[in-house]
Amino acid sequence: MEAVLQKFGIPSDALMIPITSGIINKTWKVTSTKGNFILQQINDHVFINPELIHGNIAAIAAYLKKNYSNYLFPSPVLNVEGTQLLKEKDSGYFRVFPFIEGTHTIDVVENPKQAFEAAEQFGRFTAYLGGFDCTKLKITIPDFHNLSYRYQQFQEALSAGNQQRIQNEKNLIGKLERLNFLVKQYDAITQNPSFKKRVTHHDTKISNVLFNEQDNAVCIIDLDTVMPGYFISDVGDMMRTYLCSVSENEEDISKIQVRPAYYYAIVEGYYKEMENELTAEEKKHFFFAGQFMIYMQALRFLTDYLNNDIYYQIQYPTHNLVRAINQVVLLECLMEYETEFKKMKL
Ligand code: GN1
Ligand code: MG
């Protein structure tokens, strides 16, 4: 690590504190006499070609700088080789971001204002990049939010996965299978010309927004999965992570509830930037966005559990199972609000 820091011009005696909210890459806050930074080691099992991420970030940064010069976009720091991405022979890919002073991240949304602010930020990102040809972006993870593909991976896990785990989780598996009408609705969207592909963040969880001390959102971070996509990915992941007062890691399912005020805050924040961009057909699917993302995440967590935890970082053996159950409960809670939320004129 000392060698890595030095290659980014950071003194090797810097203090490194792990940030554990992400479950793919490894992240540290680095405090040094040269300033504060965020250091990341990219998970190159998940991101097979990290160069693609940095090509995307550079293209977007250049567009935003030219067209929205006041937009705060934390670009990675250059290393001694003059590149953003450092490849170390034995330990993989590293990059460093400037730490934006006076900001912090949160892990659960504590008030509707935070939900509004975050939704506005992610909406603004897509809206500002409306003139950027999203097909120029490289696909950093193929089929990332392709629900059909995720369902197929789930089915593969059911035949080739850990037999004991499959046996024990029959009920949960059955529940997810009965929800597969959501896959059909997703497939219909992919065939519907009224659904547009736009520059999509694909990871709009609340910890990917930096807030200042007044609880105002300052900017968004984590552009690793920025790719062409549907708005349901970003809006859906906001619902998945802002509607409930506890995170996907909560074991006590009695704490999993949907907070209507946060739903309305997401609509308002996102609409502030995107109302004129979305087609009427897309607007009709606003509620579906939440079902789509929560269902996909439940499938992905359970698939990983059945495959013996090869994808997500876990803290204990049943962690992915707990996450999958949590997401199914959240999905059921959301579906109880279907009639109420769909009354909102969108
Ligand atoms: C992963 O590591 P993190 O938190 O940025 C995952 C997301 C999931 C999320 C669930 C590349 O994101 O898709 O929604 O975990 N990212 C990847 O916590 O798989
Ligand atoms: Mg991420």
Side-chain angles (χ1 to χ4, degrees), residues 28-48:
W28 297 266
K29 181 177 176 188
V30 179
T31 307
S32 83
T33 49
K34 282 269 171 68
N36 300 330
F37 302 91
I38 296 292
L39 168 68
Q40 279 195 310
Q41 181 176 26
I42 300 181
N43 179 331
D44 53 10
H45 295 289
V46 170
F47 296 100
I48 310 283

Side-chain angles (χ1 to χ4, degrees), residues 22-24 141 144 203 205 222 240 248 297 300 311:
I23 55 178
I24 301 291
I141 302 182
F144 187 46
D203 195 9
K205 62 182 187 179
D222 187 1
R240 189 180 78 78
E248 64 198 17
Q297 199 59 61
R300 292 178 67 197
Y311 188 85

Side-chain angles (χ1 to χ4, degrees), residues 87-309:
K87 175 139 197 330
E88 289 284 85
K89 235 204 266 108
D90 303 319
S91 45
Y93 292 88
F94 293 86
R95 62 182 172 194
V96 167
F97 292 94
F99 180 82
I100 314 275
E101 297 301 332
T103 66
H104 62 275
T105 56
I106 51 176
D107 285 326
V108 286
V109 183
E110 293 139 6
N111 54 61
K113 183 193 167 187
Q114 291 172 337
F116 174 92
E117 291 270 322
E120 180 188 22
Q121 284 290 327
F122 286 114
R124 181 173 300 158
F125 178 71
T126 297
Y128 278 13
L129 288 156
F132 177 92
D133 175 5
C134 72
T135 63
K136 296 232 158 71
L137 294 173
K138 298 289 188 290
I139 306 300
T140 57
I141 302 182
D143 290 313
F144 187 46
H145 282 189
N146 176 345
L147 185 59
S148 279
Y149 172 73
R150 295 302 184 185
Y151 194 78
Q152 195 186 313
Q153 287 186 313
F154 168 59
Q155 286 177 314
E156 282 160 17
L158 288 180
S159 57
N162 178 322
Q163 286 308 314
Q164 189 60 56
R165 288 183 173 191
I166 294 167
Q167 212 49 40
N168 292 347
E169 302 315 322
K170 276 219 143 65
N171 281 341
L172 183 62
I173 291 168
K175 244 184 202 176
L176 284 172
E177 286 176 332
R178 285 191 294 281
L179 284 161
N180 87 345
F181 62 91
L182 294 168
V183 180
K184 301 202 177 79
Q185 292 182 31
Y186 169 77
D187 287 339
I189 284 176
T190 65
Q191 300 302 313
N192 184 340
S194 301
F195 269 80
K196 295 196 180 160
K197 290 259 175 113
R198 301 183 179 85
V199 176
T200 303
H201 184 280
H202 286 116
D203 195 9
T204 58
K205 62 182 187 179
I206 201 65
S207 55
N208 279 337
V209 180
L210 299 185
F211 285 92
N212 65 17
E213 272 132 40
Q214 290 74 45
D215 241 5
N216 294 320
V218 173
C219 66
I220 59 169
I221 55 172
D222 187 1
L223 300 195
D224 298 347
T225 52
V226 171
M227 290 179 271
Y230 297 116
F231 90 98
I232 54 170
S233 283
D234 281 359
V235 165
D237 214 27
M238 292 180 210
M239 291 186 200
R240 189 180 78 78
T241 59
Y242 311 171
L243 292 182
C244 183
S245 67
V246 292
S247 81
E248 64 198 17
N249 296 310
E250 179 60 54
E251 278 180 72
D252 179 354
I253 58 168
S254 70
K255 291 188 181 148
I256 301 174
Q257 269 153 17
V258 162
R259 302 174 293 181
Y262 292 69
Y263 183 89
Y264 301 123
I266 293 170
V267 177
E268 279 165 29
Y270 196 72
Y271 264 37
K272 196 167 162 215
E273 301 290 336
M274 287 294 290
E275 183 166 14
N276 299 328
E277 305 284 328
L278 295 178
T279 66
E281 190 61 17
E282 288 174 320
K283 287 176 182 171
K284 280 191 208 149
H285 287 76
F286 208 91
F287 180 82
F288 173 75
Q291 291 177 287
F292 159 71
M293 278 304 297
I294 299 169
Y295 182 53
M296 183 157 63
Q297 199 59 61
L299 286 173
R300 292 178 67 197
F301 283 143
L302 187 58
T303 301
D304 197 34
Y305 179 69
L306 300 181
N307 287 338
N308 293 322
D309 311 305

